[in-house]
Amino acid sequence: LGDFYTTMGEQQEETDGEQMIDKSLEEKLQEANQKETEAMLDNIAEKMEDDELDNIIDVAIDPEGKYVELLISGALLFDSGHAELKEECLPIVSKLGDILRLYDDYLIEIIGHTDNVPMVSGAFPDNDHLSSARAISAKNYLVEEKGMDVATMKWSGKGEYEPIASNATEDGRARNRRVEIRIYNSLNSD
């Protein structure tokens, strides 16, 4: 019986040691994620300032430090109920595309969002379709006009399901109509 408890104690020590190593590796990965993504953020923010995009596009790091997120107002890009990029926004999207091309080897994700007002347009049956079409429209511009690699991109529509403001006010609904572009760091781009 004594050997049984000794063996169990040794196994527990090994398990505790493995957990400590796993936690240490996890902390190092988190630190590496944060450091690389902060450097990306600094570079992107500097280029956005140079191109005078810093007052038009919001930029931030996700809480886990895996990507830089660019947030663009839907009203800037699209007419209500439409998914074609507005002619007047193309110079802005072109400058943004030049910045994104610096990270063409990284995973870039484009996500379209809407408010919760039901669709009345015959072109799209609902907000899910509209938000997806807007993400695809942004992706197509970046691939066709800026030469970005579609193999390192993904896109989706989230409809009205991830609001960042209340849909009870016009201002809140306007904030919810947006396109997010996430540029994942090299540790999360596979």
Side-chain angles (χ1 to χ4, degrees):
L1 192 59
D3 289 339
F4 174 76
Y5 287 114
T6 302
T7 303
M8 290 300 294
E10 289 171 0
Q11 287 177 348
Q12 183 62 41
E13 286 176 21
E14 287 177 20
T15 303
D16 290 345
E18 289 171 5
Q19 288 175 345
M20 286 175 53
I21 290 171
D22 287 348
K23 186 171 179 144
S24 176
L25 289 174
E26 192 175 301
E27 288 171 356
K28 286 182 181 180
L29 180 59
Q30 175 67 26
E31 187 178 305
N33 268 319
Q34 198 69 33
K35 185 175 181 179
E36 182 177 342
T37 306
E38 285 174 3
M40 289 171 54
L41 174 71
D42 291 345
N43 186 43
I44 291 167
E46 181 180 319
K47 295 199 177 311
M48 285 178 55
E49 187 175 339
D50 291 346
D51 289 340
E52 299 179 353
L53 299 175
D54 54 325
N55 292 326
I56 302 170
I57 300 171
D58 293 329
V59 62
I61 294 178
D62 86 297
E64 295 179 15
K66 293 181 178 181
Y67 57 82
V68 173
E69 182 172 75
L70 308 174
L71 190 121
I72 311 158
S73 164
L76 175 72
L77 300 175
F78 308 103
D79 288 326
S80 180
H82 291 81
E84 300 82 30
L85 290 168
K86 295 194 300 192
E87 191 70 32
E88 59 267 24
C89 83
L90 295 181
I92 294 166
V93 179
S94 179
K95 289 179 185 180
L96 178 59
D98 290 338
I99 295 169
L100 293 173
R101 283 183 50 200
L102 300 172
Y103 299 95
D104 202 21
D105 292 339
Y106 293 60
L107 173 61
I108 295 177
E109 181 178 19
I110 302 169
I111 306 166
H113 298 271
T114 65
D115 59 26
N116 68 346
V117 175
M119 282 297 305
V120 291
S121 162
F124 302 101
D126 56 34
N127 284 323
D128 294 341
H129 286 82
L130 176 61
S131 64
S132 296
R134 287 178 171 183
I136 290 168
S137 182
K139 180 270 302 178
N140 286 346
Y141 179 87
L142 294 171
V143 170
E144 295 165 10
E145 301 299 325
K146 302 312 282 185
M148 294 191 65
D149 185 358
V150 72
T152 60
M153 300 176 83
K154 64 181 186 175
W155 51 93
S156 63
K158 297 291 185 173
E160 64 197 65
Y161 304 107
E162 294 182 4
I164 57 172
S166 170
N167 278 307
T169 67
E170 179 52 43
D171 184 54
R173 288 188 298 274
R175 290 187 59 214
N176 290 332
R177 295 186 298 265
R178 67 198 188 279
V179 171
E180 295 174 0
I181 299 177
R182 297 176 179 174
I183 308 161
Y184 288 81
N185 67 31
S186 66
L187 301 171
N188 293 283
S189 284
D190 293 332

